[in-house]
Amino acid sequence: MWEYTDKVKDHFLNPRNVGVIEDADGIGEVGSLACGDALKLTFKLDENQRIRDAKFQTFGCASAIASSSALTEIIKGLSLEEASKITNEDIADYLGDLPKEKMHCSVMGRDALEKAIAHYRGEAEKKIDGEIVCECFGVTDREIERAVRENSLRSIEDVTNFVKAGGACGNCHEKIEQIIGRIIGTQKPAAKKPVRLTNLQKIKLVEETLDREIKPALQKDGGDIELVDVDGNTVFLRLCGNCAACSASQITLKHYVETKLQEFVTPEIVVEEVAG
Amino acid sequence: MKIVYADNNATTMVAPEVLEAMLPFLKDQYGNPSSMHTFGGRVGFAIKDARAKVADLIGASPEEIVFTGCGTESDNTAIWAALHAQPDKRHVVTTRVEHPAVKSLAESLAKKGYRITFVPVDGQGNLDLDHLYRHLSEDTAIVSIMWANNETGVLFPIDEIAQRVREHGIVFHTDAVQAVGKIPVDVRQSPVDMLSMSGHKIHAPKGVGVLYVRKGTRFTPHLIGGHQENGRRGGTENTASIVGFGKAAELAASQWLKDMDRVKRLRDRLENSLLERVPNAMINGNRDRRLPNTTSVAFEYVEGESILLMMDQYGICASSGSACTSGSLEPSHVLRAMGVPFTAAHGSIRFSLGTYNTDEDIDTIVEKLPPIIDRLRDMSPFWHEAKAKTAAG
C-alpha cells in the first residue's frame, strides 16, 4: 500500500477538470499504454493570454490522476511565461509530496504542460532530444541528465522513480550510472562491450524470438508478423492480418516487438516496418 | 465499513477454530518441544499431531513433512537440496510464470553460473510441455513447476509432468502453495519428489510453511542448526503456528475442500456478471483448467492501482497485475509471459475467493465495480480514442 497524502487521495477520488477542451489553444499528450500511464492536457487562454481553463484525461495510477488534477489547478490563471516555469516538484509540493517511486507521475505532468505550451506557440514538435538510453520507456540521455540535475538524483533507482528509465529490462543501467557520474563528477569507467553475435547467430535468434515470443501474442489478436530482412542491428518486419490495419501497429512494433527483440537478441536492435 | 475480502491468494483469515487450537501454545504451553521434561514434551506431542494432520491432507506419511518458516523457505530449500545433493549438475528447469520464491531464486542461480530453462506459456497460460520435455538433460538437477498459478489460477498437469521428469531420473519439485486446500492434492497419485505449502493460504497464520519430501529423496537442510525436524530444518519450532497449520489441514480435508464447489459458483457468478456489465473486459487464463476460487479480469484502457484504490473506498480487497501496485514499472511477469496486451495487462484485477465469502460479497463487487471502471474510463484518453475508433467504423 502506498502512503499517499490526503491531498493525493482527494485529487484522485475527486479529480478536478477532467475532460478535453474542444477548441483548446494548447494540447499536450505524453505517455503511452505500454508505459502504463499517459496524460492529455488541454488549455484555453483568455484575452490577456492567461490560462482561463485547463482539462486533462489520464490513464494511470492514483498518483498519475492526482498529479494531472493538481497540474490543471496550478496552471489556471497563470500566464504562459509563468506556467512554463512550473516544475515537477511544484506538482509534488502541491500534493504535499508523492512516494518517491511515483515521482515520474509529476514529471509526466510537467512534460505534458511543456508540450501544450510548445503546441500553442506553434513550435515544431520537439525532435527527440538526445539519444535514447532506456529503450523500454523511450527515455533519452537529455531527459535523464535533466532529472538528475534538477532533483539531485544519485542512484539508478532514483532515476527510475523520476523518469522511469531503467525500470524494466535493466540493460541501460550502466549508461544511467555513467550519466549520474558525469553530472556529479565521479565518472565511472566505460561500459564493457556486450558479447558480439555473428550475423547468422543474430538472424537465428531473431527468428526464434519471433516464433516463440512475438507471433503467438499477435496471432491471438488475429495478426501476424513476417521477417523480411536483417541488416546490422536493423530488423525489417511486415505486419499482417489485423496488425496491418491496426492503428496501434506502431506501438506494437516499437513497444512490444522491439522490446522483445532487444531482450532476447541484443539491446541494439531497431525495428523497421516494411509496408505490406 | 464491512470488508469484502476477495484476496485469498494473497493471504487468508485465520479460522476461529485454528486460533482456538493455537492459543494454549501462546500461553501456558510454552515448553520447548525438544526438552526432556514432560512440560516440553507435551508440546512435542502437539507438533507430532499437527504433522500427522498435514500429512493426511496430501496423502503423505508424517515423516515426509518438514515444517519451515514460509512457502518461500520451502521452495528455496527444495531447490538448494537438489543442487547440493548433485553438485555436478548445473541445469534447472522452471517456468516463466513462477512465484518470485522460485523465479527470483532461479534468476540468482543463473548469475551464479547455473543454466536455467524458463518454460514459456501460451496465451491461455498453459505450459509448453514440449518445450519442457525437450530441455530435460543429463545435466538437469531439478525441475520446479508450480501446481497452480497465483495470479490466474491456471493449473499445470503436475501428475503427467512429474511422471515424465521421474522417468529421466530428475528430481521434481512443485510449489503447491496455491493448490493445497483449494483442490485435492495427493502425493500417492502425483509422483512429485518435493512439494511446498504455506499455512497462511489455508486459514492458518503467517510464518509457517511445509516442505513435503518423499521418502528416498536425497536431501540436505537449508537452515543448518539443531536436530529439529529430524535434522532437516534447524531452528526451534514455531509451535503455535505449526499446531494452527495442523488444525487448518484437518479442516481443509473435512470441510473446506468440499465447500469449493460453492466457492467456484461464487467465482463464476462474479466473473460472468462483470463480463456482462463491463464492455471491453476479459478473463486472463484458461477458464477450463483453473483453481475454483481465482479469476483474473482484465479491464481495457484503465489502470489497476486506480481500480484497487477506488474499490478500497467500499472495503473491497483484491489484487492487481498492474505495474504501479508492485512498485516496479512493468505489469506482472505472468500476464506478460502470456502475451496479454498492454491495453489489458495494466488493468487486470485478481479476485481470489475463499470459504468465508458469501453471495452478498459478490453482490457488492458486482454493484460497485462497473461504475468504477466507467469513471476511470471516462478519465482515460485511450478509452475515448478506442470509442471514437469504434464509432468511426
Side-chain angles (χ1 to χ4, degrees), chain A residues 212-213 215-221 256, chain B residues 97 120-128 152 154 282-287 334-341:
Chain A
R212 186 185 67 230
E213 303 287 333
K215 285 186 178 176
L218 297 186
Q219 283 161 358
K220 227 181 73 182
D221 290 338
Y256 187 70
Chain B
V97 297
V121 295
D122 66 12
Q124 298 288 299
N126 302 307
L127 207 55
D128 183 345
T152 59
V154 170
M282 60 210 83
I283 305 299
N284 297 315
N286 182 345
R287 291 181 78 173
V334 175
L335 300 181
R336 276 172 55 98
M338 289 162 61
V340 174

mmCIF file of all heavy atoms in Angstrom, chain A residues 212-213 215-221 256, chain B residues 97 120-128 152 154 282-287 334-341:
data_model
loop_
_atom_site.group_PDB
_atom_site.id
_atom_site.type_symbol
_atom_site.label_atom_id
_atom_site.label_comp_id
_atom_site.label_asym_id
_atom_site.label_seq_id
_atom_site.Cartn_x
_atom_site.Cartn_y
_atom_site.Cartn_z
ATOM 1 N N ARG A 212 8.762 -17.669 -30.938
ATOM 2 C CA ARG A 212 8.446 -18.090 -29.587
ATOM 3 C C ARG A 212 7.713 -17.010 -28.797
ATOM 4 O O ARG A 212 6.754 -17.275 -28.090
ATOM 5 C CB ARG A 212 9.748 -18.452 -28.865
ATOM 6 C CG ARG A 212 9.563 -19.052 -27.491
ATOM 7 C CD ARG A 212 10.906 -19.258 -26.816
ATOM 8 N NE ARG A 212 11.518 -17.976 -26.529
ATOM 9 C CZ ARG A 212 12.778 -17.665 -26.852
ATOM 10 N NH1 ARG A 212 13.543 -18.521 -27.472
ATOM 11 N NH2 ARG A 212 13.260 -16.476 -26.558
ATOM 12 N N GLU A 213 8.166 -15.767 -28.957
ATOM 13 C CA GLU A 213 7.693 -14.718 -28.059
ATOM 14 C C GLU A 213 6.632 -13.830 -28.695
ATOM 15 O O GLU A 213 5.759 -13.322 -28.021
ATOM 16 C CB GLU A 213 8.870 -13.811 -27.635
ATOM 17 C CG GLU A 213 10.005 -14.531 -26.985
ATOM 18 C CD GLU A 213 9.654 -14.989 -25.580
ATOM 19 O OE1 GLU A 213 8.805 -14.342 -24.957
ATOM 20 O OE2 GLU A 213 10.221 -16.008 -25.130
ATOM 21 N N LYS A 215 5.067 -13.943 -32.271
ATOM 22 C CA LYS A 215 3.955 -14.386 -33.119
ATOM 23 C C LYS A 215 2.745 -14.888 -32.329
ATOM 24 O O LYS A 215 1.623 -14.511 -32.614
ATOM 25 C CB LYS A 215 4.438 -15.460 -34.097
ATOM 26 C CG LYS A 215 5.260 -14.873 -35.227
ATOM 27 C CD LYS A 215 5.593 -15.926 -36.264
ATOM 28 C CE LYS A 215 6.375 -15.296 -37.406
ATOM 29 N NZ LYS A 215 6.804 -16.290 -38.378
ATOM 30 N N PRO A 216 2.971 -15.743 -31.323
ATOM 31 C CA PRO A 216 1.788 -16.251 -30.608
ATOM 32 C C PRO A 216 0.926 -15.121 -30.044
ATOM 33 O O PRO A 216 -0.301 -15.185 -30.094
ATOM 34 C CB PRO A 216 2.407 -17.086 -29.480
ATOM 35 C CG PRO A 216 3.761 -17.465 -29.975
ATOM 36 C CD PRO A 216 4.219 -16.314 -30.823
ATOM 37 N N ALA A 217 1.582 -14.071 -29.544
ATOM 38 C CA ALA A 217 0.818 -12.966 -28.953
ATOM 39 C C ALA A 217 0.036 -12.223 -30.030
ATOM 40 O O ALA A 217 -1.137 -11.859 -29.837
ATOM 41 C CB ALA A 217 1.761 -12.006 -28.235
ATOM 42 N N LEU A 218 0.670 -11.984 -31.178
ATOM 43 C CA LEU A 218 -0.013 -11.238 -32.235
ATOM 44 C C LEU A 218 -1.142 -12.075 -32.836
ATOM 45 O O LEU A 218 -2.217 -11.574 -33.144
ATOM 46 C CB LEU A 218 0.985 -10.850 -33.336
ATOM 47 C CG LEU A 218 2.112 -9.908 -32.908
ATOM 48 C CD1 LEU A 218 2.938 -9.496 -34.110
ATOM 49 C CD2 LEU A 218 1.570 -8.672 -32.222
ATOM 50 N N GLN A 219 -0.849 -13.378 -32.976
ATOM 51 C CA GLN A 219 -1.856 -14.246 -33.584
ATOM 52 C C GLN A 219 -3.109 -14.303 -32.739
ATOM 53 O O GLN A 219 -4.217 -14.445 -33.255
ATOM 54 C CB GLN A 219 -1.271 -15.656 -33.785
ATOM 55 C CG GLN A 219 -0.338 -15.681 -34.996
ATOM 56 C CD GLN A 219 0.619 -16.881 -34.987
ATOM 57 O OE1 GLN A 219 0.610 -17.680 -34.051
ATOM 58 N NE2 GLN A 219 1.443 -16.984 -36.021
ATOM 59 N N LYS A 220 -2.916 -14.121 -31.455
ATOM 60 C CA LYS A 220 -4.071 -14.125 -30.558
ATOM 61 C C LYS A 220 -5.025 -12.988 -30.895
ATOM 62 O O LYS A 220 -6.228 -13.093 -30.738
ATOM 63 C CB LYS A 220 -3.600 -13.992 -29.108
ATOM 64 C CG LYS A 220 -4.261 -14.977 -28.211
ATOM 65 C CD LYS A 220 -3.789 -14.788 -26.804
ATOM 66 C CE LYS A 220 -4.378 -13.571 -26.224
ATOM 67 N NZ LYS A 220 -4.157 -13.080 -25.008
ATOM 68 N N ASP A 221 -4.460 -11.873 -31.360
ATOM 69 C CA ASP A 221 -5.295 -10.742 -31.748
ATOM 70 C C ASP A 221 -5.619 -10.784 -33.232
ATOM 71 O O ASP A 221 -6.027 -9.779 -33.815
ATOM 72 C CB ASP A 221 -4.575 -9.422 -31.419
ATOM 73 C CG ASP A 221 -4.507 -9.197 -29.921
ATOM 74 O OD1 ASP A 221 -5.346 -9.794 -29.210
ATOM 75 O OD2 ASP A 221 -3.631 -8.464 -29.454
ATOM 76 N N TYR A 256 6.432 -3.419 -28.266
ATOM 77 C CA TYR A 256 6.329 -4.843 -27.969
ATOM 78 C C TYR A 256 7.397 -5.627 -28.714
ATOM 79 O O TYR A 256 8.279 -6.235 -28.115
ATOM 80 C CB TYR A 256 4.924 -5.348 -28.312
ATOM 81 C CG TYR A 256 4.721 -6.761 -27.879
ATOM 82 C CD1 TYR A 256 4.636 -7.078 -26.527
ATOM 83 C CD2 TYR A 256 4.666 -7.798 -28.803
ATOM 84 C CE1 TYR A 256 4.493 -8.377 -26.116
ATOM 85 C CE2 TYR A 256 4.522 -9.103 -28.391
ATOM 86 C CZ TYR A 256 4.426 -9.387 -27.049
ATOM 87 O OH TYR A 256 4.288 -10.691 -26.632
ATOM 88 N N VAL B 97 6.327 -18.309 -15.298
ATOM 89 C CA VAL B 97 5.214 -17.726 -14.534
ATOM 90 C C VAL B 97 5.246 -18.100 -13.056
ATOM 91 O O VAL B 97 4.247 -17.977 -12.356
ATOM 92 C CB VAL B 97 3.854 -18.133 -15.150
ATOM 93 C CG1 VAL B 97 3.728 -17.589 -16.560
ATOM 94 C CG2 VAL B 97 3.687 -19.651 -15.166
ATOM 95 N N PRO B 120 8.086 -21.495 -21.397
ATOM 96 C CA PRO B 120 7.061 -20.480 -21.683
ATOM 97 C C PRO B 120 5.637 -21.030 -21.570
ATOM 98 O O PRO B 120 5.437 -22.240 -21.470
ATOM 99 C CB PRO B 120 7.352 -20.089 -23.135
ATOM 100 C CG PRO B 120 8.064 -21.250 -23.734
ATOM 101 C CD PRO B 120 8.759 -21.981 -22.611
ATOM 102 N N VAL B 121 4.685 -20.112 -21.573
ATOM 103 C CA VAL B 121 3.264 -20.486 -21.568
ATOM 104 C C VAL B 121 2.599 -19.869 -22.793
ATOM 105 O O VAL B 121 3.144 -18.941 -23.397
ATOM 106 C CB VAL B 121 2.536 -19.983 -20.302
ATOM 107 C CG1 VAL B 121 3.074 -20.650 -19.057
ATOM 108 C CG2 VAL B 121 2.632 -18.460 -20.171
ATOM 109 N N ASP B 122 1.416 -20.394 -23.144
ATOM 110 C CA ASP B 122 0.686 -19.801 -24.273
ATOM 111 C C ASP B 122 -0.229 -18.680 -23.772
ATOM 112 O O ASP B 122 -0.189 -18.319 -22.583
ATOM 113 C CB ASP B 122 -0.085 -20.879 -25.051
ATOM 114 C CG ASP B 122 -1.215 -21.497 -24.228
ATOM 115 O OD1 ASP B 122 -1.556 -20.950 -23.157
ATOM 116 O OD2 ASP B 122 -1.761 -22.526 -24.666
ATOM 117 N N GLY B 123 -1.038 -18.145 -24.663
ATOM 118 C CA GLY B 123 -1.882 -17.011 -24.325
ATOM 119 C C GLY B 123 -2.900 -17.319 -23.240
ATOM 120 O O GLY B 123 -3.425 -16.409 -22.585
ATOM 121 N N GLN B 124 -3.198 -18.608 -23.041
ATOM 122 C CA GLN B 124 -4.144 -19.019 -22.003
ATOM 123 C C GLN B 124 -3.435 -19.374 -20.701
ATOM 124 O O GLN B 124 -4.059 -19.835 -19.761
ATOM 125 C CB GLN B 124 -4.914 -20.256 -22.489
ATOM 126 C CG GLN B 124 -5.750 -20.030 -23.734
ATOM 127 C CD GLN B 124 -6.955 -19.186 -23.408
ATOM 128 O OE1 GLN B 124 -7.791 -19.584 -22.604
ATOM 129 N NE2 GLN B 124 -7.033 -18.012 -23.997
ATOM 130 N N GLY B 125 -2.110 -19.217 -20.706
ATOM 131 C CA GLY B 125 -1.360 -19.551 -19.502
ATOM 132 C C GLY B 125 -1.004 -21.023 -19.387
ATOM 133 O O GLY B 125 -0.492 -21.458 -18.361
ATOM 134 N N ASN B 126 -1.270 -21.819 -20.466
ATOM 135 C CA ASN B 126 -0.921 -23.242 -20.419
ATOM 136 C C ASN B 126 0.561 -23.426 -20.727
ATOM 137 O O ASN B 126 1.112 -22.771 -21.610
ATOM 138 C CB ASN B 126 -1.733 -24.030 -21.454
ATOM 139 C CG ASN B 126 -3.223 -23.865 -21.243
ATOM 140 O OD1 ASN B 126 -3.718 -24.082 -20.140
ATOM 141 N ND2 ASN B 126 -3.910 -23.445 -22.290
ATOM 142 N N LEU B 127 1.147 -24.384 -20.026
ATOM 143 C CA LEU B 127 2.582 -24.613 -20.162
ATOM 144 C C LEU B 127 2.898 -25.277 -21.498
ATOM 145 O O LEU B 127 2.160 -26.144 -21.968
ATOM 146 C CB LEU B 127 3.010 -25.534 -19.012
ATOM 147 C CG LEU B 127 4.434 -25.449 -18.518
ATOM 148 C CD1 LEU B 127 4.789 -24.020 -18.116
ATOM 149 C CD2 LEU B 127 4.600 -26.390 -17.328
ATOM 150 N N ASP B 128 4.019 -24.897 -22.102
ATOM 151 C CA ASP B 128 4.506 -25.527 -23.329
ATOM 152 C C ASP B 128 5.255 -26.803 -22.934
ATOM 153 O O ASP B 128 6.451 -26.782 -22.675
ATOM 154 C CB ASP B 128 5.421 -24.552 -24.077
ATOM 155 C CG ASP B 128 5.903 -25.109 -25.394
ATOM 156 O OD1 ASP B 128 5.777 -26.337 -25.611
ATOM 157 O OD2 ASP B 128 6.408 -24.315 -26.213
ATOM 158 N N THR B 152 -3.458 -16.169 -12.082
ATOM 159 C CA THR B 152 -4.579 -16.534 -12.957
ATOM 160 C C THR B 152 -5.329 -17.743 -12.434
ATOM 161 O O THR B 152 -6.447 -18.011 -12.870
ATOM 162 C CB THR B 152 -4.061 -16.891 -14.357
ATOM 163 O OG1 THR B 152 -3.138 -17.982 -14.219
ATOM 164 C CG2 THR B 152 -3.363 -15.710 -14.997
ATOM 165 N N VAL B 154 -4.467 -20.700 -13.161
ATOM 166 C CA VAL B 154 -4.314 -21.780 -14.150
ATOM 167 C C VAL B 154 -3.519 -22.934 -13.539
ATOM 168 O O VAL B 154 -2.514 -22.728 -12.860
ATOM 169 C CB VAL B 154 -3.613 -21.258 -15.429
ATOM 170 C CG1 VAL B 154 -3.217 -22.413 -16.352
ATOM 171 C CG2 VAL B 154 -4.525 -20.278 -16.154
ATOM 172 N N MET B 282 -12.138 -8.964 -20.136
ATOM 173 C CA MET B 282 -11.909 -10.365 -20.485
ATOM 174 C C MET B 282 -11.221 -11.080 -19.334
ATOM 175 O O MET B 282 -10.678 -10.450 -18.436
ATOM 176 C CB MET B 282 -11.068 -10.468 -21.756
ATOM 177 C CG MET B 282 -9.700 -9.823 -21.636
ATOM 178 S SD MET B 282 -9.126 -9.208 -23.224
ATOM 179 C CE MET B 282 -9.966 -7.626 -23.278
ATOM 180 N N ILE B 283 -11.266 -12.407 -19.390
ATOM 181 C CA ILE B 283 -10.635 -13.206 -18.339
ATOM 182 C C ILE B 283 -9.250 -13.620 -18.810
ATOM 183 O O ILE B 283 -9.088 -14.105 -19.929
ATOM 184 C CB ILE B 283 -11.474 -14.470 -18.042
ATOM 185 C CG1 ILE B 283 -12.923 -14.092 -17.691
ATOM 186 C CG2 ILE B 283 -10.829 -15.294 -16.930
ATOM 187 C CD1 ILE B 283 -13.085 -13.221 -16.473
ATOM 188 N N ASN B 284 -8.252 -13.438 -17.969
ATOM 189 C CA ASN B 284 -6.903 -13.911 -18.281
ATOM 190 C C ASN B 284 -6.781 -15.371 -17.858
ATOM 191 O O ASN B 284 -7.089 -15.711 -16.722
ATOM 192 C CB ASN B 284 -5.850 -13.105 -17.511
ATOM 193 C CG ASN B 284 -5.843 -11.641 -17.907
ATOM 194 O OD1 ASN B 284 -5.884 -11.310 -19.089
ATOM 195 N ND2 ASN B 284 -5.774 -10.763 -16.910
ATOM 196 N N GLY B 285 -6.290 -16.206 -18.787
ATOM 197 C CA GLY B 285 -6.007 -17.595 -18.407
ATOM 198 C C GLY B 285 -7.074 -18.568 -18.874
ATOM 199 O O GLY B 285 -8.195 -18.177 -19.219
ATOM 200 N N ASN B 286 -6.712 -19.832 -18.863
ATOM 201 C CA ASN B 286 -7.578 -20.911 -19.326
ATOM 202 C C ASN B 286 -8.743 -21.116 -18.352
ATOM 203 O O ASN B 286 -8.566 -21.603 -17.243
ATOM 204 C CB ASN B 286 -6.734 -22.191 -19.428
ATOM 205 C CG ASN B 286 -7.532 -23.357 -19.956
ATOM 206 O OD1 ASN B 286 -8.757 -23.324 -20.003
ATOM 207 N ND2 ASN B 286 -6.827 -24.400 -20.355
ATOM 208 N N ARG B 287 -9.937 -20.773 -18.805
ATOM 209 C CA ARG B 287 -11.089 -20.815 -17.894
ATOM 210 C C ARG B 287 -11.489 -22.239 -17.543
ATOM 211 O O ARG B 287 -12.203 -22.453 -16.568
ATOM 212 C CB ARG B 287 -12.280 -20.078 -18.506
ATOM 213 C CG ARG B 287 -12.045 -18.584 -18.592
ATOM 214 C CD ARG B 287 -13.233 -17.844 -19.181
ATOM 215 N NE ARG B 287 -14.312 -17.670 -18.213
ATOM 216 C CZ ARG B 287 -15.387 -16.946 -18.461
ATOM 217 N NH1 ARG B 287 -15.521 -16.314 -19.610
ATOM 218 N NH2 ARG B 287 -16.347 -16.829 -17.550
ATOM 219 N N VAL B 334 3.624 -12.677 -15.136
ATOM 220 C CA VAL B 334 2.741 -13.768 -15.564
ATOM 221 C C VAL B 334 1.932 -13.320 -16.782
ATOM 222 O O VAL B 334 1.874 -14.010 -17.802
ATOM 223 C CB VAL B 334 1.792 -14.185 -14.418
ATOM 224 C CG1 VAL B 334 0.807 -15.230 -14.888
ATOM 225 C CG2 VAL B 334 2.590 -14.683 -13.216
ATOM 226 N N LEU B 335 1.316 -12.150 -16.688
ATOM 227 C CA LEU B 335 0.491 -11.660 -17.791
ATOM 228 C C LEU B 335 1.361 -11.372 -19.010
ATOM 229 O O LEU B 335 0.970 -11.615 -20.145
ATOM 230 C CB LEU B 335 -0.288 -10.414 -17.370
ATOM 231 C CG LEU B 335 -1.236 -10.625 -16.183
ATOM 232 C CD1 LEU B 335 -1.983 -9.342 -15.854
ATOM 233 C CD2 LEU B 335 -2.225 -11.752 -16.449
ATOM 234 N N ARG B 336 2.562 -10.865 -18.772
ATOM 235 C CA ARG B 336 3.468 -10.613 -19.894
ATOM 236 C C ARG B 336 3.888 -11.899 -20.575
ATOM 237 O O ARG B 336 3.939 -11.970 -21.798
ATOM 238 C CB ARG B 336 4.693 -9.835 -19.423
ATOM 239 C CG ARG B 336 4.432 -8.334 -19.382
ATOM 240 C CD ARG B 336 5.581 -7.622 -18.735
ATOM 241 N NE ARG B 336 6.855 -7.934 -19.379
ATOM 242 C CZ ARG B 336 7.428 -7.158 -20.295
ATOM 243 N NH1 ARG B 336 6.863 -6.044 -20.649
ATOM 244 N NH2 ARG B 336 8.573 -7.503 -20.824
ATOM 245 N N ALA B 337 4.162 -12.928 -19.767
ATOM 246 C CA ALA B 337 4.559 -14.220 -20.350
ATOM 247 C C ALA B 337 3.427 -14.779 -21.202
ATOM 248 O O ALA B 337 3.649 -15.471 -22.186
ATOM 249 C CB ALA B 337 4.940 -15.207 -19.251
ATOM 250 N N MET B 338 2.185 -14.470 -20.814
ATOM 251 C CA MET B 338 1.032 -14.941 -21.583
ATOM 252 C C MET B 338 0.772 -14.075 -22.805
ATOM 253 O O MET B 338 -0.110 -14.379 -23.609
ATOM 254 C CB MET B 338 -0.221 -14.933 -20.688
ATOM 255 C CG MET B 338 -0.199 -16.012 -19.619
ATOM 256 S SD MET B 338 -1.385 -15.675 -18.292
ATOM 257 C CE MET B 338 -2.923 -15.673 -19.206
ATOM 258 N N GLY B 339 1.494 -12.987 -22.920
ATOM 259 C CA GLY B 339 1.287 -12.105 -24.060
ATOM 260 C C GLY B 339 0.005 -11.295 -23.952
ATOM 261 O O GLY B 339 -0.551 -10.860 -24.960
ATOM 262 N N VAL B 340 -0.497 -11.100 -22.742
ATOM 263 C CA VAL B 340 -1.677 -10.243 -22.565
ATOM 264 C C VAL B 340 -1.290 -8.833 -23.028
ATOM 265 O O VAL B 340 -0.284 -8.291 -22.578
ATOM 266 C CB VAL B 340 -2.121 -10.198 -21.089
ATOM 267 C CG1 VAL B 340 -3.253 -9.203 -20.885
ATOM 268 C CG2 VAL B 340 -2.537 -11.585 -20.622
ATOM 269 N N PRO B 341 -2.055 -8.244 -23.980
ATOM 270 C CA PRO B 341 -1.649 -6.936 -24.497
ATOM 271 C C PRO B 341 -1.618 -5.874 -23.392
ATOM 272 O O PRO B 341 -2.336 -5.981 -22.395
ATOM 273 C CB PRO B 341 -2.713 -6.604 -25.537
ATOM 274 C CG PRO B 341 -3.734 -7.668 -25.479
ATOM 275 C CD PRO B 341 -3.276 -8.758 -24.586
#
